[in-house]
Amino acid sequence: MPQVVHLHGAHSAQESDGHAEAWYLPAARDLPPDFAVSGSAYREFRSRFAERSGLRWTPGSATFEYANDQRPCTLWYHDHTLGLTRENVYAGPAGFYLLGGDELPEEVLPGPAPTRDDPPSASYHDIPLMIQDRSFTADGDLQYPKRYSGNGDGPPVSVPGFSGSTIVVNGRTWPTLTVRRRRYRFRLLNGCNSRFLLLSVAANATARPARPVLPVWQIGSDGGFLPEPVAHERVSLGPAQRSTRSSTSPTSRPAPSCTS
């Protein structure tokens, strides 16, 4: 499959931004001779990157550099291939890219956050949640709608967007998290194809309508911290939107004001 990585929301030089036409195929030996192995912009951005950094991309790959010179915030990466972004992201190449450096007193925000070498028994209070929707076949395979014809008689066209039948969080269907009576920091990402999300803390997960029972305090958005927390009953997120929230229990105090 062709792919090229885009770091969504980052301050990136153009040769490291994951241009949609700079996709490439793996350096495989079994490709038919008439296959294009890279997009029309791949060579241009490979040259630009070499001029800037002195490094050349090896066949079947690309190397990007990120300065990480922006405000602390919640970013995410995803495939950006022209014409295939929707299907590639649906298949899995997407995830968080968190910029730290909050520079706030340790007791202001809930923690700790997950790190690479944590033991299995580690307890977290700063938790990234990538929310997506998926549909599955009876065998458990991912299912994406087949192409359809726009007017019934013309050539087939791709399905640009759809809503899956199952919610997936961090790659797991309908997961659960055991929590304590304390504040948690959730970094929320809507990674759905086209679905808008309306999130709340409800007493009953299946009751409709879902009735919020706890406030959710928004402390950040796509670009970093807000000047001060904002209380919500429900949190709305469009596709690709990110938000940082602090959820409180009835016996907890609201999150104190945060400044960037």
Side-chain angles (χ1 to χ4, degrees):
M1 290 295 295
Q3 65 174 326
V4 60
V5 177
H6 170 64
L7 183 54
H8 198 116
H11 296 174
S12 302
Q14 58 178 327
E15 62 271 11
S16 294
D17 196 38
H19 193 283
E21 295 184 67
W23 58 265
Y24 55 91
L25 289 177
R29 298 181 180 180
D30 57 350
L31 296 176
D34 58 343
F35 263 42
V37 297
S38 61
S40 59
Y42 179 84
R43 292 185 179 182
E44 174 189 349
F45 288 105
R46 179 181 62 185
S47 298
R48 289 178 181 271
F49 188 85
E51 292 174 3
R52 177 186 289 264
S53 66
L55 300 174
R56 293 191 61 84
W57 299 351
T58 59
S61 71
T63 303
F64 296 154
E65 290 183 347
Y66 305 118
N68 298 335
D69 59 354
Q70 58 201 94
R71 299 169 59 194
C73 58
T74 299
L75 307 178
W76 72 301
Y77 66 87
H78 59 78
D79 176 74
H80 210 220
T81 303
L82 180 67
L84 281 177
T85 297
R86 66 197 184 285
E87 295 187 31
N88 280 358
V89 173
Y90 185 77
F96 281 97
Y97 189 99
L98 305 179
L99 288 181
D102 295 335
E103 297 182 355
L104 295 171
E106 185 174 346
E107 68 277 5
V108 171
L109 295 178
T115 57
R116 180 185 298 272
D117 298 319
D118 290 337
S121 59
S123 179
Y124 305 118
H125 305 114
D126 180 347
I127 304 174
L129 300 176
M130 180 167 67
I131 305 172
Q132 299 169 293
D133 52 354
R134 298 285 187 270
S135 292
F136 298 91
T137 66
D139 295 329
D141 294 332
L142 285 175
Q143 184 178 43
Y144 195 91
K146 296 180 180 180
R147 296 187 174 192
Y148 65 91
S149 176
N151 57 15
D153 299 323
V157 296
S158 60
V159 178
F162 84 109
S163 295
S165 60
T166 305
I167 293 297
V168 176
V169 182
N170 294 349
R172 296 190 176 188
T173 55
W174 302 110
T176 60
L177 173 67
T178 301
V179 298
R180 297 165 51 198
R181 283 183 173 267
R182 56 156 298 153
R183 286 188 295 129
Y184 284 79
R185 180 182 183 182
F186 296 114
R187 302 172 187 259
L188 304 176
L189 162 63
N190 182 346
C192 298
N193 181 290
S194 59
R195 182 190 294 274
F196 283 73
L197 301 174
L198 188 60
L199 309 174
S200 63
V201 180
N204 188 319
T206 59
R208 295 294 181 271
R211 301 188 182 280
V213 295
L214 293 177
V216 178
W217 293 82
Q218 181 181 4
I219 61 175
S221 64
D222 294 16
F225 284 127
L226 301 179
E228 61 183 25
V230 178
H232 298 276
E233 282 193 341
R234 295 179 176 86
V235 176
S236 60
L237 285 177
Q241 283 188 324
R242 288 93 62 206
S243 183
T244 302
R245 312 283 171 157
S246 182
S247 179
T248 64
S249 72
T251 58
S252 299
R253 297 172 57 191
S257 297
C258 305
T259 56
S260 61

